[in-house]
Amino acid sequence: MIYTISEIAKTLKIKEVNNPESPISHLLSDSREVFNPGETLFFALKTANNDGHKYVDELYNLGVRHFVVQTIQSEWKNLKDINLLHVKDSLLALQKVATFHREHFNIPVIAITGSNGKTIVKEWIYQMLGSEKNITRSPRSYNSQLGVPLSVWQLNENTELGLFEAGISMPNEMTRLQKIIQPTIGVFTNIGDAHQENFKNLKQKCLEKLELFVNCDVIICEEGNKLLDECMEATCLSQKSFTWSYNNRSNSPLLILKVEKLEAKSFITYSFLGLPFTVELPFTDDASVENVTSSIAAALYLTTSIETIQEKVKQLEPVAMRLDVRRGKNNNIIVNDTYNSDINSLKIALSFLGQQSAEDSPKRTLILSDILQSGFSDEALYKSVSDLADSASIGRIIGIGHHISDQQKLFANIPHIFFDSTEDFISSGIWNEFHEETILLKGSRHFEFERISELIEQKNHETVLDINLDAILHNFKFHRSRMNPDTKIICMVKADAYGSGSEEVAKILQYHKCDYFAVAIAEEGVVLRKAGIKTPIIVLNPEVSGFNQLFESYLEPEVYNFRILDAFIKEAQRRGISDFPIHIKMDTGMHRLGFTEEDIPLLLERLKSQQALKVKSTFSHLAASESWAFDDFTTQQISLFKKLASALQDGLDYTIWRHILNSAGIERFPEEQMDMVRLGISLYGISASGLDGLRNVCTLKTTILQIKHLKKGETVGYGRRGDLDHDASIATIRIGYADGLSRQFGNRNGHVLVNGHLVPIIGNICMDLSMIEITGLDIKEGDEVILFGDELSVIDQAKKINTIPYEVLTSVSSRVRRIYFRE
């Protein structure tokens, strides 16, 4: 739907605007995701990490003319034909505009909340009802104070059912979401400890979540949860409930009578209002049984026939909870989103594609299937797709399916080729020609795009390092929120980003405005420059032999002694370069590299006698900032550094930055952040001081190859080190010391996690394989094995072999496949 800017202004109680009939069809909160600027309204949001007001000029130059702002800045006075809608709170204004839009619809709207399962229940309801109704739903897990209004804005003239999820992390948030969604049907999945830290207890959180349903006609939930039942009664909502239950003696209209689990599917027998029926579910875990029951209850309430439900449940597909990035053949990068295809998720995926490729790269390829059940005409739908692809600088589009192929005329401005089916695409062999491209695979499950992924993905064995890019961002923003607004953050991406992959990590951090990167050697910086990283990069251990790389890739060296300084001055002068940035390192007690107090006079003399180099910053390295026992020494280091930095600053006629805090220093001495800080191991989810609030980034996992049942007295592995003093079941797993698993973990020194069970490694670690003991446990060949991750901390694993997490992370071999994902 399209509104005029005057209608939006009236909603925000703003009386006068320029060009009052200007159309508004898009709401924008991220300046990097401009689409159709002439019809865009930008909300300048202020957060702990950023300020949207900084991007008004940039957006104006891109054609945006309508802005919601909290402050009016003097530099905007010369911008012509601009609307600045001045409000107290831009986020609240966005929510008011979404509420205004929601009030134009008199349709059923389902709102889903709970501690777990919200997105899966939402997607399964969509899969069950999408062929019968035109549904507008939240893209992915857009369930926050920002995500909900952006989701509700997607309601359009063709929508017959709204389907939105809502999540909270603080008290008093749900009332605001209720006003935006205005649900008529509520689904409460469950109540648990997720995001519990800001609530007094579970009861407070449960009552807060129920605020979403105050005006609902019905609330779908499980009967028999004592806390939920109590809260429903306290809020007078129990009389509106449509419950389901595992207890066949309850009065719930929907009862689970029996669950029969086979190898790859379950058969669930229900009773609905006394009538039995059975569904075949292509999943076997308990959470899926619970989630599908909530989905079935919603479908039944909306009078969907049991026959349709049985048919749709049998066809339910796994919900892709994440976008992931994989290495492809021929130096390609694959952004994999093959289970979800609609116009809203396409916008998200294209934004992510932009983060993973060089800016304005001509080698961005979109492989897109037909978008099913959109509610729009094919011409209107694929015109929007074409506009989105053009806005995202897609260099080539490959369409697969009859509908998109019939609209290929709409893609005249983008190089394109179309196929009627996935089979036709595979048979064409065009995928063999992909080279050094960033490829977005975006397809409905029906088109089996995983077949394409298998063809173009670089093949590695089944040992995988999952890297959660959302966790990287969380940790970055967590530390940013604890910094002074003007403090710059240097993110350490040396040693291949501590084993996580420097290119992918740097791309996502660059997109989110990281100030600086730091690498160990020039070659690491060159790799980042070739990957499209334009953010300034410090090289911490430069060598004279690498000066050419420093100059050609504009990498800023650390200078720590006179040999390097003199050689660098000489080379810069030979090239006719002036004011090349360098970073002066001081030795304040680490006694590894750096100038000393005695060096300062001569250092100043050398620096002032030339114009080739210019000091950008001076810094030092704390030796023991993580240890309370050495706080006196750390304080002495900081004091000495301030003295040396002041002496250097006093001798120069320009300003230089100062920084001394590493991760532990950031956590324990935030008052000493100065101009910059260096964020290292904490960026990757490992607190150097026990600080709460970081998220795990890396999960190393493999699979079980074979299981053997051995008798007491037999041995396992090389050297017969794995003695058995009892009958035992032994599983061989696909990881060894060539993958980075230290041999010190062998012989029961280390453990792994399988199906929730902590089991020991037995015998010596082999080059490519290891063995674990799984006696008496329900574990089978092919099951996943976790070496470290969310439930098995890399910190704890490192302690088992008397080392540090840095070593465990950076030891993971390059032959282990990295998969990058966003939730």
Side-chain angles (χ1 to χ4, degrees):
M1 293 178 68
I2 298 178
Y3 300 100
T4 64
I5 189 61
S6 61
E7 290 177 290
I8 301 292
K10 184 178 179 181
T11 300
L12 299 178
K13 295 183 168 49
I14 293 171
K15 295 181 179 179
E16 295 184 8
V17 291
N18 297 318
N19 303 315
E21 298 304 310
S22 297
I24 299 296
S25 61
H26 298 279
L27 305 185
L28 181 68
S29 63
D30 189 329
S31 63
R32 297 159 296 194
E33 298 177 1
V34 177
F35 170 70
N36 194 358
E39 296 185 5
T40 289
L41 176 61
F42 176 70
F43 291 79
L45 303 180
K46 283 189 173 182
T47 69
N49 308 308
N50 209 346
D51 184 352
H53 296 78
K54 296 189 298 186
Y55 308 109
V56 168
D57 284 323
E58 175 186 327
L59 290 167
Y60 181 87
N61 292 332
L62 292 173
V64 178
R65 293 294 179 267
H66 311 290
F67 302 86
V68 174
V69 298
Q70 293 176 207
T71 59
I72 302 292
Q73 300 182 10
S74 58
E75 59 264 30
W76 299 340
K77 64 182 179 182
N78 295 322
L79 302 180
K80 298 180 180 179
D81 298 322
I82 190 173
N83 275 312
L84 297 171
L85 309 186
H86 189 195
V87 298
K88 290 183 178 179
D89 186 324
S90 296
L91 177 59
L92 183 59
L94 171 61
Q95 294 174 343
K96 287 180 178 178
V97 171
T99 301
F100 161 76
H101 177 62
R102 167 67 181 93
E103 289 169 349
H104 286 74
F105 297 88
N106 183 22
I107 57 173
V109 172
I110 300 175
I112 305 167
T113 195
S115 297
N116 302 103
K118 296 185 292 293
T119 302
I120 292 174
V121 170
K122 179 197 69 184
E123 292 298 321
W124 281 359
I125 291 174
Y126 175 76
Q127 290 181 31
M128 292 169 65
L129 302 180
S131 61
E132 297 187 344
K133 297 180 182 294
N134 190 324
I135 299 175
T136 295
R137 71 195 195 280
S138 309
R140 295 198 174 271
S141 55
Y142 270 39
N143 58 30
S144 66
Q145 297 290 310
L146 175 60
V148 166
L150 294 176
S151 298
V152 169
W153 181 258
Q154 304 305 319
L155 291 167
N156 60 76
E157 298 92 334
N158 298 314
T159 303
E160 297 174 296
L161 174 68
L163 184 54
F164 305 107
E165 57 179 291
I168 56 173
S169 58
M170 299 281 291
N172 305 316
E173 288 185 334
M174 192 60 89
T175 300
R176 294 172 71 171
L177 299 185
Q178 188 279 329
K179 291 178 181 177
I180 302 167
I181 301 174
Q182 300 174 39
T184 60
I185 301 167
V187 178
F188 199 112
T189 59
N190 51 48
I191 186 72
D193 292 330
H195 302 294
Q196 177 61 32
E197 59 271 15
N198 295 314
F199 296 91
K200 296 177 184 176
N201 49 48
L202 276 178
K203 183 174 181 179
Q204 184 196 19
K205 186 170 73 168
C206 185
L207 290 169
E208 172 81 14
K209 286 180 177 289
L210 287 174
E211 287 289 327
L212 181 62
F213 304 140
V214 291
N215 294 321
C216 282
D217 299 327
V218 66
I219 302 166
I220 295 167
C221 59
E222 180 186 3
E223 181 185 324
N225 182 305
K226 184 178 179 180
L227 175 60
L228 179 57
D229 290 346
E230 179 184 333
C231 292
M232 291 275 285
E233 192 69 33
T235 53
C236 301
L237 294 175
S238 55
Q239 65 270 25
K240 295 183 178 183
S241 63
F242 178 116
T243 60
W244 58 269
S245 175
Y246 289 101
N247 183 355
N248 58 17
R249 295 187 182 89
S250 80
N251 295 318
S252 296
L254 181 62
L255 301 175
I256 300 176
L257 301 179
K258 184 174 67 172
V259 179
E260 181 185 3
K261 296 183 179 181
L262 303 181
E263 185 173 343
K265 57 188 175 182
S266 303
F267 289 92
I268 311 172
T269 301
Y270 294 96
S271 171
F272 177 57
L273 299 177
L275 298 175
F277 67 98
T278 300
V279 299
E280 179 184 329
L281 176 69
F283 306 96
T284 60
D285 58 289
D286 292 339
S288 290
V289 172
E290 183 176 311
N291 291 332
V292 79
T293 302
S294 294
S295 306
I296 289 172
L300 289 169
Y301 180 79
L302 290 168
T303 69
T304 308
S305 70
I306 287 176
E307 291 75 18
T308 299
I309 289 172
Q310 289 173 317
E311 175 189 352
K312 294 297 184 180
V313 170
K314 187 176 182 178
Q315 299 170 4
L316 286 178
E317 299 165 359
V319 176
M321 300 296 288
R322 65 191 211 180
L323 278 163
D324 65 52
V325 181
R326 309 177 181 207
R327 289 284 178 183
K329 298 175 181 175
N330 301 321
N331 292 321
N332 294 308
I333 297 172
I334 304 165
V335 178
N336 190 31
D337 194 18
T338 58
Y339 288 94
N340 195 355
S341 185
D342 59 65
I343 196 69
N344 294 325
S345 66
L346 177 61
K347 292 178 184 177
I348 297 170
L350 285 171
S351 174
F352 187 54
L353 178 75
Q355 299 170 37
Q356 293 301 313
S357 57
E359 187 176 346
D360 298 325
S361 167
K363 288 200 168 185
R364 294 179 184 174
T365 295
L366 169 62
I367 304 179
L368 179 68
S369 77
D370 283 347
I371 296 176
L372 307 176
Q373 304 165 10
S374 73
F376 295 96
S377 69
D378 280 358
E379 184 173 1
L381 173 65
Y382 293 108
K383 175 63 168 62
S384 294
V385 170
S386 176
D387 290 343
L388 283 172
D390 188 54
S391 179
S393 301
I394 294 298
R396 172 174 58 174
I397 186 166
I398 297 173
I400 298 179
H402 295 291
H403 294 278
I404 192 172
S405 296
D406 288 345
Q407 300 299 323
Q408 58 182 284
K409 64 181 182 295
L410 300 174
F411 298 90
N413 294 331
I414 304 174
H416 59 264
I417 185 169
F418 292 86
F419 300 91
D420 285 337
S421 68
T422 302
E423 189 62 48
D424 289 345
F425 167 81
I426 292 173
S427 299
S428 73
I430 191 174
W431 46 272
N432 283 309
E433 301 171 11
F434 297 158
H435 185 70
E436 294 185 346
E437 302 178 35
T438 308
I439 302 164
L440 171 59
L441 275 176
K442 186 81 174 114
S444 299
R445 184 67 182 86
H446 168 75
F447 286 87
E448 298 180 335
F449 271 20
E450 63 270 20
R451 296 171 60 198
I452 300 175
S453 180
E454 289 173 2
L455 288 173
I456 62 178
E457 186 180 344
Q458 192 177 67
K459 292 295 185 287
N460 297 78
H461 64 88
E462 292 185 23
T463 300
V464 169
L465 186 69
D466 271 354
I467 296 104
N468 186 339
L469 295 176
D470 280 332
I472 289 271
L473 282 180
H474 168 85
N475 299 336
F476 174 70
K477 292 179 179 180
F478 175 81
H479 283 291
R480 173 73 80 188
S481 70
R482 302 175 79 239
M483 296 289 111
N484 297 328
D486 296 331
T487 301
K488 294 176 171 54
I489 295 182
I490 305 168
C491 285
M492 311 300 286
V493 292
K494 63 179 181 176
D496 202 26
Y498 294 32
S500 298
S502 60
E503 292 181 44
E504 289 77 8
V505 170
K507 285 174 183 176
I508 198 77
L509 290 172
Q510 175 174 262
Y511 186 78
H512 288 271
K513 310 298 184 184
C514 173
D515 300 294
Y516 256 87
F517 294 122
V519 297
I521 58 177
E523 286 84 351
E524 292 179 328
V526 171
V527 167
L528 293 181
R529 289 286 185 245
K530 288 181 178 178
I533 299 302
K534 297 180 179 179
T535 300
I537 299 173
I538 300 174
V539 178
L540 298 174
N541 302 314
E543 290 292 341
V544 174
S545 60
F547 280 176
N548 190 55
Q549 293 173 313
L550 295 174
F551 286 116
E552 291 190 356
S553 296
Y554 207 77
L555 305 172
E556 304 177 15
E558 166 191 315
V559 175
Y560 48 84
N561 65 21
F562 289 108
R563 180 181 68 86
I564 291 289
L565 177 62
D566 292 341
F568 202 60
I569 291 172
K570 182 178 180 181
E571 181 63 19
Q573 290 174 335
R574 188 185 71 81
R575 293 170 180 256
I577 292 173
S578 61
D579 292 341
F580 197 90
I582 63 172
H583 301 262
I584 298 292
K585 185 165 190 175
M586 302 292 188
D587 182 3
T588 59
M590 182 79 165
H591 300 324
R592 190 172 61 179
L593 298 173
F595 293 98
T596 64
E597 185 172 6
E598 292 74 20
D599 294 327
I600 297 294
L602 182 57
L603 175 61
L604 281 169
E605 181 182 325
R606 296 282 178 87
L607 290 172
K608 292 162 70 173
S609 67
Q610 54 82 47
Q611 287 80 44
L613 309 181
K614 187 174 184 178
V615 179
K616 197 72 168 286
S617 81
T618 183
F619 68 104
S620 190
H621 203 116
L622 296 175
S625 54
E626 72 283 355
S627 174
W628 281 258
F630 297 112
D631 278 359
D632 287 345
F633 184 77
T634 299
T635 302
Q636 291 173 22
Q637 278 197 272
I638 294 171
S639 177
L640 176 58
F641 172 67
K642 288 179 177 178
K643 178 182 179 182
L644 300 184
S646 295
L648 187 63
Q649 178 67 84
D650 291 344
L652 298 172
D653 58 1
Y654 52 86
T655 301
I656 59 175
W657 295 326
R658 303 170 304 152
H659 51 105
I660 194 170
L661 297 186
N662 55 2
S663 286
I666 292 168
E667 294 174 10
R668 300 195 57 239
F669 301 91
E671 70 279 3
E672 302 293 353
Q673 59 191 262
M674 303 183 194
D675 302 301
M676 308 175 84
V677 297
R678 302 188 301 276
L679 186 59
I681 194 70
S682 292
L683 179 64
Y684 303 95
I686 298 166
S687 170
S689 66
L691 179 70
D692 290 331
L694 300 179
R695 291 179 57 189
N696 175 66
V697 170
C698 295
T699 299
L700 180 61
K701 59 188 183 181
T702 188
T703 56
I704 291 177
L705 272 171
Q706 188 177 27
I707 295 174
K708 291 182 178 292
H709 304 286
L710 304 179
K711 296 293 185 182
K712 175 181 177 180
E714 295 197 67
T715 60
V716 178
Y718 284 121
R720 304 193 70 190
R721 293 289 303 278
D723 292 322
L724 297 178
D725 59 5
H726 56 279
D727 293 351
S729 298
I730 304 299
T732 300
I733 60 177
R734 300 174 183 262
I735 189 168
Y737 58 77
D739 301 296
L741 182 63
S742 171
R743 292 186 79 245
Q744 295 180 70
F745 282 117
N747 303 304
R748 301 187 183 273
N749 291 323
H751 292 74
V752 298
L753 197 66
V754 189
N755 297 344
H757 302 288
L758 198 62
V759 300
I761 298 174
I762 185 169
N764 283 326
I765 304 287
C766 308
M767 180 181 287
D768 309 301
L769 304 169
S770 302
M771 287 69 71
I772 58 177
E773 183 181 342
I774 58 170
T775 306
L777 301 175
D778 183 18
I779 293 172
K780 59 185 181 298
E781 292 177 1
D783 280 355
E784 185 176 82
V785 179
I786 303 295
L787 284 301
F788 58 76
D790 291 344
E791 298 173 341
L792 186 58
S793 165
V794 69
I795 298 175
D796 293 337
Q797 291 290 65
K799 288 178 180 176
K800 291 284 182 65
I801 58 172
N802 297 313
T803 188
I804 55 177
Y806 298 78
E807 182 177 355
V808 175
L809 288 175
T810 58
S811 294
V812 179
S813 166
S814 60
R815 81 176 186 179
V816 172
R817 181 169 45 146
R818 268 71 170 171
I819 295 182
Y820 303 85
F821 68 92
R822 296 201 65 182
E823 297 169 341

